Amino acid sequence: MSSKEVILKEVDKLSLEMKSVAKFIGQYPELAFSEFKAQEKLTWFLKKYGFNVKKGVGGIKTAFIATKSNRFKKTPNLGFLAEYDALPGIGHACGHNLIGTASSGAAIALSSILKQVSGTITVIGCPAEEGGGGKVLLAKKGIFDPLSVAMMAHPDNKTEVVKYMLALIEVDIEFLGRASHAAAEPEKGIHALNAAVATYSAILKMSKTLTKDARVHGIFTSGGQKPNIIPAHAALSYYVRALDMKYAYQIIQKIKKIAFQEAKKIKAKVIFKVNPIVYEPFHPNRTLAHVFEKQLAFLKIKNEQSDPKSKIGSSDIGNVGNIVPTIHPSIKICNHFSCHTPDFSKAALSQGGFQGMMVAAKALALTGHELFLNSTVLTKIKEEFHR
Ligand SMILES: [Zn+2]
């Protein structure tokens, strides 16, 4: 039996347990920063197979780190990222119950060769991917710094190894005017909503001049209390996205200029806030992605790669990818359902979901196996990262 086959056998041995872990997390969906049941389940699973577990790392109660090392030689340190938060109202509609379990299963299976190879396997439990930016906070605390690489696989309706992600920055704009009787004395008021509407329209016009990858989308979050009162307060909330961080900040400067200009016209005041939790753009490590793709081919799974920069969103994985070489491939679990829909939630608890999870675990474990045995490829991965 080849050493690859040994690893696959180890993953297969875990399949019943993995299915029950993924099912449990799927059936008890927990929102960002309150994933206590999922954290307990995954750390129990990892502990059972000899991992050292630390909960509540990086100042987040529901985060964790689990490690297992060769007794004498601790490097390289291969990181597997676990996500396990759900979405409000529609449960595990992003399939994070499968992500956390696949990463943990891969790490456990791969750890069976730690007696023969030098290195450490680390599973990092990353809460709050769906808003909250768990990895942003963990990155700020240096949690990913010890890793040589970081890997995870995300369920989807298509298997694609390379996908870029957009930076995501949240901007909130408040307009402060003055209330007045809308019929009797409108001239005494300052119509905050008018400034907000003018700003919204001008931003919409400006957004049409941006590069194709950029996205600016906003909503009104406040616009008055009653039609007979001139609104003293109005507010807009925006997401600004782009493939390039500098460009995203340039867009924010344009938005700021528009808001202040429009407010000035009617003597309203502006409070302009940029959320400090920023999702950085994600640039997958191509060399590492290629190693993963080779393992998929070995498993006879087709990579249905399309344009890696089209139809993309944002994720806090970008903040990890700027610290260590990282991959975030998509693994097919269903035919056409999209993430963040109730149908995808069902898929994440279906036979197809569990099969996709096993493919992800096997490909991740085999990728780790190759990195442990082939130091040249690890050097190339690092070279690409530092370029
Ligand atoms: Zn997701």
Side-chain angles (χ1 to χ4, degrees), residues 175-360:
F175 296 89
L176 309 178
R178 187 166 56 228
S180 176
H181 194 295
E185 290 185 309
E187 71 285 355
K188 285 194 178 165
I190 294 177
H191 206 302
L193 180 60
N194 281 352
V197 170
T199 300
Y200 183 87
S201 302
I203 291 172
L204 194 62
K205 209 171 153 197
M206 177 277 289
S207 69
K208 303 221 158 81
T209 66
L210 301 173
T211 57
K212 223 178 105 197
D213 61 290
R215 304 275 185 281
V216 177
H217 35 105
I219 55 162
F220 287 85
T221 51
S222 159
Q225 303 289 330
K226 240 179 162 344
N228 61 2
I229 312 167
I230 297 282
H233 184 266
L236 291 165
S237 182
Y238 275 93
Y239 281 2
V240 175
R241 308 189 203 224
L243 266 174
D244 179 73
M245 201 67 168
K246 257 196 209 151
Y247 191 55
Y249 278 112
Q250 281 168 12
I251 298 169
I252 291 174
Q253 282 314 311
K254 288 181 195 225
I255 292 176
K256 192 174 179 181
K257 201 174 154 196
I258 291 171
F260 277 88
Q261 267 171 359
E262 293 304 332
K264 202 178 164 194
K265 284 182 192 167
I266 62 161
K267 295 197 176 82
K269 287 201 173 76
V270 181
I271 301 172
F272 194 88
K273 277 187 201 152
V274 180
N275 190 330
I277 305 280
V278 167
Y279 283 24
E280 292 168 8
F282 177 56
H283 296 246
N285 186 283
R286 295 287 195 138
T287 315
L288 180 53
H290 183 64
V291 178
F292 185 86
E293 194 183 354
K294 263 174 36 191
Q295 316 313 317
L296 279 183
F298 181 78
L299 295 169
K300 302 199 166 52
I301 302 292
K302 202 175 146 210
N303 180 14
E304 306 160 88
Q305 189 71 53
S306 59
D307 178 359
K309 290 181 182 172
S310 83
K311 292 197 175 181
I312 49 175
S314 307
S315 165
D316 56 4
I317 192 75
N319 300 55
V320 183
N322 284 327
I323 296 169
V324 283
T326 302
I327 53 166
H328 185 278
S330 305
I331 299 291
K332 179 178 181 151
I333 66 158
C334 57
N335 283 323
H336 10 254
F337 303 137
S338 301
C339 294
H340 296 204
T341 62
D343 282 328
F344 201 84
S345 196
K346 277 183 212 145
L349 275 165
S350 70
Q351 211 44 43
F354 298 134
Q355 275 164 9
M357 172 181 78
M358 294 312 289
V359 168

Side-chain angles (χ1 to χ4, degrees), residues 83 85 87 93-96 99 129-130 152 154-155 314-315 328 339-340 344:
E83 290 176 359
D85 62 323
L87 286 150
C94 206
H96 293 187
I99 298 176
E129 192 277 333
E130 305 289 0
M152 61 173 278
H154 199 294
S314 307
S315 165
H328 185 278
C339 294
H340 296 204
F344 201 84

